[in-house]
């Protein structure tokens, strides 16, 4: 008896019974609560009908992500280089910038840039420009931190060798430090790009005209929330999953080249 | 344009109400998310079988989807498909629970897997019962590793909870946008709302960084 029981446990049959049992229970619960009448009237042709605006929105999302990441990357690296200058006030300014934009929600930053900043500067920005400004400010804060870690990870000997050769600043940075730091930065950079791809959905709250805005408009216009939201969710999942798979691959390749 | 302190003084109670609601939503979904995360984590650690597959799918879906998609889906599409009505707060808590469950499962798994293999083997060879192996040997080491990413995740959760203003939950960001829409004092109200968020998130992230540094020194 005991040996049979042990064999059953080892084989994982009990686990399968419990697993499939709970799955069946969940299915029964769904069957009881799902409104089948409604489900049978779902009409996914709405996606095909509105394919052009949806594709345009997707293009907009990708473009906004790319712009944000590029601006954030360049300014993040510049800020990280400036941070290396041993001048206290400058360091404080950069630290305050990084902490403020990292420790507040993007939503508040977005509304602040769109509604409050024009009151300060007197220049009113369009929704797209505000969206790009808010996202790239946050991206620059995140990427400053990443770039700083990357620069710190370059071995001390490299700096000493460059200094002892009396290399000028630009050569030191462009040919010695940044190429080595860049390699360390690539995986976190890719992760940041994915998180900003996800964050770009927030821009729908000020109606920028990217995928989420357009899908919300279509859903509210046609009263087909389920179809449109599900389709958009699938698009976001597939793209995000592909991106993170590529990042994982990239990380593996970089790790292999390290050895 | 001058900075009008009077508006802030006048609307302060509403903003504090919003901050309390944010705290309530975050703690509810964090508590439920820890339970879900533990279940998903054990499913993922099995490496094969039906539990593993279900939990992998849930983790992958809710880690990759932008947070706004499940929030809108559960709030506007959920009641259409299922035969129950759900309040905005309920929908928000369900969405954030799924989000935090998925992320916490990966944090728990990383913490458990960071404990060296030798610790399990040593405990097993000493004949310690399985329950005590996890309770006394593994979990103290794993918990210490989990603290920094866990606190960082709470910071993210507070930030994500601001998205719930989109479905009309009366938390901090919602009150901020309503008040500033009424008074046209966007600069003052959003600056204060941002500062309130900063006051919640900044100490947490400082603590996480402090623990991380300590952990690095210990290793």
């Amino acid at each position: 008896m005991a040996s049979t029981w042990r064999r059953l446990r080892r084989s994982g049959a009990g686990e399968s019974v419990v697993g499939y049992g709970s799955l069946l229970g969940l299915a029964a619960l769904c069957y009881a609560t799902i409104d089948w009448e409604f489900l049978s009237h779902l009409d996914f042709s709405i996606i095909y009908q509105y394919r052009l605006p949806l594709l345009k929105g997707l293009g907009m999302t990708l473009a906004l992500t790319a712009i944000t990441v590029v601006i954030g990357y360049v300014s993040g690296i510049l800020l990280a280089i400036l941070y290396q200058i041993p001048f206290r006030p400058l360091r404080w300014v950069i630290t305050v910038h990084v902490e403020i934009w990292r420790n507040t929600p993007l939503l508040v930053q977005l509304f602040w840039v769109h509604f409050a900043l024009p009151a300060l500067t007197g220049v009113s920005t369009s929704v797209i420009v505000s969206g790009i400004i808010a996202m790239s400010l946050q991206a620059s804060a995140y990427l400053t931190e990443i770039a700083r870690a990357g620069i710190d990870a370059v071995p001390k000997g490299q700096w000493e060798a460059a200094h002892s050769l009396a290399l000028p600043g630009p050569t030191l940075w462009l040919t010695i430090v940044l190429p080595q730091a860049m390699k360390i930065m690539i995986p976190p950079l890719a992760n940041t790009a994915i998180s900003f791809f996800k964050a770009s959905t927030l821009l729908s709250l000020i109606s920028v005209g990217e995928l989420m805005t357009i899908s919300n408009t279509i859903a509210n216009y046609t009263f087909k929330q389920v179809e449109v939201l599900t389709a958009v969710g699938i698009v976001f999942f597939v793209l995000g999953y592909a991106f993170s798979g590529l990042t994982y691959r990239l990380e593996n390749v970089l790790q292999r080249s390290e050895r | 344009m001058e900075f009008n302190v009077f508006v802030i003084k006048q609307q302060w109670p509403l903003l504090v109400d919003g901050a309390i609601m944010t705290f309530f939503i975050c703690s509810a979904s964090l508590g439920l998310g820890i339970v879900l995360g533990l279940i998903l984590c054990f499913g993922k650690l099995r490496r094969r079988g039906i539990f593993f597959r279900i939990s992998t799918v849930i983790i992958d879906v809710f880690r990759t989807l932008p947070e706004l998609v499940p929030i809108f889906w559960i709030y506007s599409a959920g009641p259409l498909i299922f035969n129950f009505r759900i309040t905005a707060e309920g929908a928000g808590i369900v969405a954030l629970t799924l989000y935090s469950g998925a992320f916490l499962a990966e944090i728990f798994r990383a913490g458990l897997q960071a404990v060296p293999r030798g610790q399990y083997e040593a405990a097993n060879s000493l004949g310690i019962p399985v329950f005590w192996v996890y309770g006394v040997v593994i979990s103290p080491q794993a918990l210490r590793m989990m603290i920094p990413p866990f606190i960082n995740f709470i910071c993210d959760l507070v930030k994500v909870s601001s998205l719930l203003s989109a479905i009309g939950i009366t938390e901090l960001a919602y009150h901020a946008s309503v008040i500033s829409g009424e008074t046209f004092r966007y600069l003052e109200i959003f600056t204060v709302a941002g500062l309130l968020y900063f006051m919640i998130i900044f100490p947490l992230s400082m603590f996480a960084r402090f623990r991380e540094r300590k952990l690095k020194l210990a290793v």
Side-chain angles (χ1 to χ4, degrees):
Chain A
M1 185 59 207
S3 67
T4 331
W5 179 237
R6 198 175 303 138
R7 209 180 307 136
L8 207 65
R9 265 180 68 187
R10 286 259 169 84
S11 67
E15 185 198 324
S16 307
V17 168
V18 175
Y20 284 111
S22 52
L23 207 61
L24 262 173
L26 211 63
L29 192 71
C30 283
Y31 184 79
T33 52
I34 280 179
D35 187 350
W36 291 100
E37 178 67 25
F38 177 79
L39 212 59
S40 62
H41 287 106
L42 284 188
D43 178 19
F44 277 94
S45 68
I46 199 86
I47 309 300
Y48 185 73
Q49 198 184 330
Y50 288 99
R51 65 195 182 282
L52 290 178
L54 284 174
L55 277 177
K56 215 174 122 193
L58 182 61
M60 187 86 167
T61 294
L62 292 174
L64 281 170
T65 311
I67 292 171
T68 302
V69 171
V70 168
I71 296 177
Y73 198 30
V74 172
S75 53
I77 288 179
L78 281 179
L79 284 177
I81 292 173
L82 284 179
Y83 190 82
Q84 300 293 322
I85 299 171
F87 178 58
R88 280 292 166 94
L90 186 66
R91 284 193 168 189
W92 290 338
V93 169
I94 294 172
T95 310
V96 167
H97 168 82
V98 169
E99 294 305 333
I100 284 180
W101 294 97
R102 269 177 50 140
N103 289 319
T104 44
L106 183 56
L107 181 97
V108 173
Q109 296 166 8
L110 196 64
F111 283 177
W112 197 85
V113 167
H114 189 58
F115 295 116
L117 199 59
L120 273 182
T121 58
V123 184
S124 68
T125 46
S126 70
V127 275
I128 296 182
V129 176
S130 313
I132 291 176
I133 291 174
M135 290 229 300
S136 17
L137 279 170
Q138 198 183 37
S140 83
Y142 274 100
L143 290 167
T144 304
E145 199 75 347
I146 292 170
R148 207 157 66 184
I151 290 171
D152 282 346
V154 173
K156 270 276 161 294
Q158 301 282 333
W159 294 87
E160 285 160 5
H163 283 310
S164 67
L165 288 171
L167 290 180
T171 321
L172 163 73
W173 280 103
L174 290 178
T175 62
I176 313 253
V177 177
L178 281 185
Q180 298 185 57
M182 212 72 92
K183 205 169 141 189
I184 303 162
M185 274 186 253
I186 284 174
L189 170 74
N191 283 329
T192 317
I194 294 170
S195 72
F196 277 96
F197 171 66
K198 285 166 68 178
S200 73
T201 51
L202 253 94
L203 299 184
S204 70
L205 299 178
I206 55 169
S207 309
V208 166
E210 35 66 74
L211 188 51
M212 204 66 197
T213 316
I214 288 176
S215 64
N216 274 341
T217 313
I218 294 171
N220 292 336
Y221 182 67
T222 60
F223 291 107
K224 298 208 182 296
Q225 273 97 348
V226 179
E227 293 90 332
V228 176
L229 276 177
T230 309
V232 168
I234 290 171
V235 167
F236 270 115
F237 175 72
V238 168
L239 281 177
Y241 200 70
F243 282 152
S244 54
L246 281 178
T247 312
Y248 185 69
R249 272 255 178 101
L250 195 69
E251 241 167 280
N252 274 353
V253 168
L254 286 175
Q255 256 176 14
R256 217 172 299 141
S257 72
E258 200 67 36
R259 262 183 261 140
Chain B
M1 183 180 173
E2 85 283 14
F3 197 87
N4 192 338
V5 187
F6 180 69
V7 179
I8 299 166
K9 229 182 250 170
Q10 200 184 5
Q11 308 288 356
W12 179 250
L14 265 181
L15 287 174
V16 172
D17 272 4
I20 290 169
M21 189 69 180
T22 295
F23 177 77
F24 169 70
I25 294 268
C26 284
S27 40
S29 45
L30 188 71
L32 292 172
I34 288 174
V35 176
L36 182 65
L38 279 176
I39 296 170
L40 292 177
C41 166
F42 285 120
K44 187 104 189 192
L45 281 174
R46 298 212 71 97
R47 289 174 181 285
R48 61 189 153 78
I50 184 89
F51 270 146
F52 171 73
R53 260 175 273 163
I54 297 172
S55 43
T56 308
V57 168
I58 294 177
I59 290 173
D60 281 349
V61 165
F62 287 98
R63 272 169 63 95
T64 352
L65 276 185
E67 296 82 12
L68 217 49
V69 174
I71 290 173
F72 276 151
W73 203 94
I74 290 169
Y75 180 64
S76 63
L80 291 175
I81 293 183
F82 296 102
N83 274 327
F84 54 79
R85 299 290 164 263
I86 193 167
T87 58
E89 282 84 0
I93 289 178
V94 170
L96 286 195
T97 299
L98 288 167
Y99 165 77
S100 47
F103 274 82
L104 287 175
E106 286 291 283
I107 290 171
F108 294 154
R109 189 178 64 96
L112 280 175
Q113 287 184 340
V115 177
R117 193 94 213 116
Q119 299 284 333
Y120 291 91
E121 285 161 6
N124 280 335
S125 66
L126 285 172
I128 303 174
V130 178
F131 180 75
W132 290 102
V133 171
Y134 278 94
V136 178
V137 182
I138 305 300
S139 69
Q141 303 182 50
L143 282 177
R144 212 179 318 146
M145 306 257 199
M146 278 176 214
I147 287 174
F150 184 74
I151 306 276
N152 276 330
F153 175 75
I154 296 177
C155 298
D156 275 350
L157 186 67
V158 175
K159 288 185 211 164
V160 168
S161 78
S162 71
L163 298 188
L164 297 180
S165 64
I167 59 170
I169 293 178
T170 53
E171 41 77 77
L172 186 46
Y174 178 84
H175 274 311
S177 50
V178 168
I179 295 168
S180 50
E182 277 171 2
T183 58
F184 291 107
R185 289 285 171 185
Y186 287 97
L187 177 64
E188 291 85 349
I189 298 296
F190 270 107
T191 307
V192 171
L195 273 177
L196 277 174
Y197 271 116
F198 187 78
M199 274 157 51
I200 299 171
I201 298 170
F202 183 64
L204 285 172
S205 78
M206 280 310 278
F207 179 68
R209 255 175 280 172
F210 166 71
R211 294 293 307 200
E212 212 164 339
R213 211 172 312 136
K214 222 173 147 187
L215 206 64
K216 240 176 229 165
L217 287 178
V219 171

